[in-house]
Amino acid sequence: MSDPRKPRIYPRKLPQQARSAASVAVILEAATQVLAKEGAQRFTTARVAEKAGVSVGTLYQYFPNNAAILFRLQSDEWQQTTDLLRRILEDTAKPPHERLRALVLAFIRSECEEAGMRVALDDAAPLYRDAPEAHAARASGHRAMQAFMREALPGASQATRDLAGELIVATFSAVGKRFSESPHTAAGIEAYAAAMADMFCAYLDRLASA
């Protein structure tokens, strides 16, 4: 039984035609701009509709409320982040350390580029943190990291690999979020990511030699 206190977070309908898909894309782009500029506390369907140049009625054809728009933006962000992680970690043409360095840099860059929207989405996280899409994104990222750890630490136990993967993900996620709360130059981002990657690579080297 659904909780009447929780707002509906799924769309009213999915776009079936190119025109409808284009309308949804315009609404989501406007929502991204409003969210990044004004934050989740001032995020309303009326403001999004105004920014998108559509009527509130048109917006309501697809999204029942602002929570549903926020959830769609968050779901897209989960998917993009997970795809980024998987593409880098599954590139077996490159050695593990090189992939890890590329992952850290890509993640830190992404956090900095979308800092405003990410902070605002975090404010709305209680609405959807237990949604199936959230669990699916975490599970997909976990599988990719597990496969990577089997390559990076072939002689280690499964428990050691699991711990290493969890520590690395938790560290670059938490530190990356905090780092992105202040503006940084491209050179500063690269230097920070390289230092973090050095730490991770040294950690893996120690585990591999244990």
Side-chain angles (χ1 to χ4, degrees):
M1 184 175 179
S2 61
D3 187 343
R5 295 170 298 178
K6 290 186 177 181
R8 177 178 174 176
I9 60 173
Y10 289 96
R12 291 183 184 277
K13 67 177 182 179
L14 298 176
Q16 301 296 323
Q17 300 178 347
R19 182 176 179 181
S20 296
S23 296
V24 169
V26 169
I27 291 169
L28 292 174
E29 177 58 30
T32 298
Q33 295 175 15
V34 172
L35 188 61
K37 184 177 180 180
E38 302 179 22
Q41 299 303 318
R42 301 180 64 183
F43 184 88
T44 65
T45 52
R47 184 72 186 92
V48 173
E50 178 186 14
K51 186 69 173 178
V54 302
S55 68
V56 174
T58 296
L59 184 150
Y60 281 148
Q61 290 181 28
Y62 304 103
F63 301 101
N65 48 47
N66 61 346
I69 303 174
L70 288 170
F71 179 65
R72 171 60 186 271
L73 292 176
Q74 180 63 84
S75 296
D76 288 349
E77 195 276 329
W78 283 330
Q79 188 64 54
Q80 292 165 6
T81 301
T82 301
D83 288 347
L84 173 68
L85 183 151
R86 291 182 57 206
R87 282 197 304 271
I88 295 173
L89 293 184
E90 294 175 356
D91 185 6
T92 56
K94 297 177 181 176
H97 279 25
E98 185 176 339
R99 277 178 271 165
L100 185 55
R101 290 183 179 281
L103 177 66
V104 174
L105 177 57
F107 185 84
I108 297 297
R109 277 177 174 166
S110 176
E111 287 287 294
C112 291
E113 288 170 359
E114 301 177 12
M117 190 177 80
R118 289 178 193 275
V119 171
L121 285 175
D122 283 346
D123 290 340
L127 295 175
Y128 43 67
R129 60 188 170 196
D130 293 325
E133 290 84 349
H135 292 292
R138 287 193 291 266
S140 179
H142 182 65
R143 288 192 298 271
M145 182 56 75
Q146 281 187 317
F148 172 78
M149 283 299 167
R150 285 195 293 271
E151 288 185 69
L153 300 171
S157 67
Q158 188 60 50
T160 296
R161 293 172 188 156
D162 289 343
L163 177 60
E166 290 170 7
L167 284 174
I168 288 173
V169 171
T171 300
F172 77 61
S173 296
V175 175
K177 177 182 176 182
R178 183 170 181 176
F179 179 75
S180 69
E181 291 174 355
S182 301
H184 299 278
T185 64
I189 292 171
E190 290 183 8
Y192 194 85
M196 191 184 304
D198 285 344
M199 179 178 66
F200 293 151
C201 289
Y203 173 50
L204 292 182
D205 286 343
R206 184 179 66 80
L207 291 177
S209 63

